[in-house]
Amino acid sequence: MAIETPAAPPEAGQRILGMRCRNCGATQPIGLSYVCPACFGPLEVAYDYAVIGASLTRETIASRAPGIWRYAELLPVDAPPARGLPVGSTPLLPADRLAWTLGLDRLWIKDDTRNPSLSFKDRAVAVAAARAVEFGVEALACASTGNLAGATAAAAAAIGLPAYVFIPADLEPAKVDHALAYGATVVPIEGTYDDVNRLCLEVADETGWGFVNINLRPFYAEGSKTLAYEIAESLGWRSPDVIVAPVASGAMFTRVARGFEELADLGLIARRRIRFVGGQAAGCAPVATAWAAGTDIIEPVRTPDTIVRSLAIGNPADGRYVVELVNETEGSVEAIEDTVTAAAIRDVARLEGIYPETAGGVTLAAAAAARRRGVIRPGDEVVALLTGNGLKTPDARSLGHGDGIARPGQPGLAPAIRPSLSAFERWLDGSAS
């Protein structure tokens, strides 16, 4: 069963106009819907920016509490929710030491590993959950490659709804435990993420549950725009030269671009071209492959083969739009080998004190690849989005490297020694066996 909302024309001064198809432009009222009935294209939320611009100013935003709801006028909810997790306002950090290693001149890291469930998915889920409450759904659910599982489970716990999380059966154990910790019902499926997603499409139609990335997807996707708002605000209300981000479904990647466009439309930042660089794991890189071939036709990857489970979506819903965006902005989509991803994780952890999961390693390696390609130019100001915490993918860090036994002055795990100063000194001078 599907939950329906009554059709009504937008009132004068109403900032949310309804839903619009990205393909054909057909409109319809706000509802628990995600596919255009006219052409089966994706639905998006439509806003009246004249109404928004009449009240939303830099000063208004600055006067509000931290978090994504400081930009409430640009989000598709009637009002900020009464309950929910404190999401957003994560730091934008200079990364000068890592920049040198990657061949960049100026690098900032948007550290979204610090959200409540340790990933950027908290942003998207917070918006979807707020709409789910307005629609009166009975449960919150998702199809997940990992980070979304924890974010959905945590958000459901915060608003008092049961959570159903559908995952590939071979998902990293740490991500499974994360979702279970919040009281979710976790349903492993024998197959790829695309198999999981197809099943969830049917379950959503039958149950009417609020699947954050299916029937709530138009609202869920909007949460990622807040990354752009925060980056611009942190830079003193301006945009960088380059944004580098991971590409899974492509929703976050394209919505960050839309967020900067909205700020320019409202006069909150100057309008200028930002080059967008995407990163995918080489073992599941349908968008990078299409871009390299000069086409926007995405050939699905049937069997992903990568440690980067969070990006292992073989048939990405927004893949074509990612290709269009990078072509329009003179960017690129880079395919990164797993060993290179692991090395990038180690580099950012030891040089900047930030420990990202595998998608973060892909992002940083993509920045280096784009610099070698010439997409990132000398002097460019680059912002890289680190979207999840490395504690969720602990085994990935040592791929192709191994820690070994640490010697004095070297990183790694030292051998166990007796609890005495003399034993420590013997190890320190290299005489310990």
Side-chain angles (χ1 to χ4, degrees):
M1 63 179 179
I3 296 177
E4 298 181 354
T5 53
E11 299 174 0
Q14 184 173 323
R15 63 184 175 85
I16 301 175
L17 299 176
M19 304 174 80
R20 179 181 297 120
C21 176
R22 193 190 302 189
N23 285 347
C24 73
T27 60
Q28 65 182 68
I30 289 288
L32 196 63
S33 180
Y34 62 103
V35 175
C36 173
C39 74
F40 302 106
L43 293 176
E44 298 180 321
V45 178
Y47 302 89
D48 187 330
Y49 291 105
V51 171
I52 294 172
S55 61
L56 188 64
T57 65
R58 295 178 183 179
E59 292 73 25
T60 300
I61 293 169
S63 70
R64 294 173 176 169
I68 65 171
W69 302 111
R70 66 198 276 111
Y71 315 104
E73 289 87 345
L74 289 165
L75 296 174
V77 295
D78 293 335
R83 290 183 59 86
L85 298 170
V87 175
S89 290
T90 57
L92 184 69
L93 304 170
D96 298 337
R97 296 176 68 200
L98 180 64
W100 184 86
T101 298
L102 299 178
L104 307 177
D105 291 327
R106 293 188 293 169
L107 175 64
W108 297 90
I109 287 175
K110 180 60 172 169
D111 185 9
D112 247 30
T113 71
R114 305 196 192 192
N115 276 308
S117 77
L118 309 182
S119 89
F120 90 99
K121 292 290 188 180
D122 287 327
R123 298 173 180 273
V125 173
V127 177
R131 260 300 173 184
V133 170
E134 293 175 354
F135 289 146
V137 302
E138 297 177 357
L140 207 62
C142 71
S144 177
T145 58
N147 284 323
L148 184 56
T152 299
I159 62 177
L161 285 177
Y164 292 87
V165 172
F166 296 76
I167 60 170
D170 63 351
L171 193 66
E172 298 102 331
K175 291 180 179 177
V176 177
D177 289 343
H178 200 198
L180 290 171
Y182 297 117
T185 299
V186 178
V187 185
I189 304 299
E190 295 179 356
T192 66
Y193 170 80
D194 296 294
D195 295 321
V196 175
N197 196 55
R198 281 191 291 271
L199 172 62
C200 289
L201 289 169
E202 298 179 63
V203 175
D205 285 341
E206 289 295 320
T207 63
W209 293 345
F211 276 79
V212 296
N213 55 338
I214 297 177
N215 51 12
L216 288 166
R217 185 178 177 84
F219 313 102
Y220 161 88
E222 293 289 277
S224 293
K225 297 189 306 182
T226 59
L227 282 160
Y229 307 154
E230 290 180 13
I231 291 168
E233 186 177 5
S234 296
L235 291 176
W237 292 109
R238 61 180 178 82
S239 58
D241 297 304
V242 183
I243 293 287
V244 189
V247 175
S249 73
M252 181 267 282
F253 193 85
T254 56
R255 289 320 188 281
V256 170
R258 181 60 190 146
F260 282 111
E261 290 175 5
E262 288 178 327
L263 295 180
D265 289 344
L266 295 168
L268 295 174
I269 63 172
R271 188 179 302 280
R272 60 193 293 264
R273 173 175 289 180
I274 306 169
R275 270 163 279 135
F276 281 83
V277 172
Q280 292 198 296
C284 186
V287 183
T289 300
W291 178 78
T295 179
D296 63 0
I297 299 174
I298 311 298
E299 294 291 340
V301 174
R302 302 299 180 188
T303 307
D305 181 17
T306 176
I307 63 169
V308 190
R309 304 289 180 80
S310 57
L311 302 185
I313 296 179
N315 190 18
D318 285 9
R320 175 166 67 89
Y321 303 112
V322 171
V323 173
E324 291 176 357
L325 173 61
V326 298
N327 286 339
E328 290 170 0
T329 64
E330 300 181 350
S332 65
V333 187
E334 308 291 344
I336 306 299
E337 296 291 341
D338 284 353
T339 53
V340 179
T341 292
I345 292 171
R346 294 191 294 270
D347 284 343
V348 67
R350 69 183 175 83
L351 293 174
E352 302 294 349
I354 301 170
Y355 181 24
E357 59 134 16
T358 50
V362 167
T363 299
L364 295 170
R371 177 69 187 95
R372 291 192 297 271
R373 192 187 293 276
V375 169
I376 297 177
R377 303 162 187 169
D380 275 347
E381 183 177 46
V382 179
V383 173
L385 310 186
L386 298 193
T387 54
N389 192 289
L391 293 175
K392 297 185 178 189
T393 57
D395 294 337
R397 175 185 57 82
S398 59
L399 179 69
H401 179 261
D403 289 320
I405 300 299
R407 297 178 180 179
Q410 294 180 340
L413 183 65
I417 61 174
R418 296 180 60 81
S420 69
L421 179 60
S422 60
F424 173 73
E425 288 175 336
R426 285 196 299 275
W427 172 77
L428 195 61
D429 65 20
S431 62
S433 59

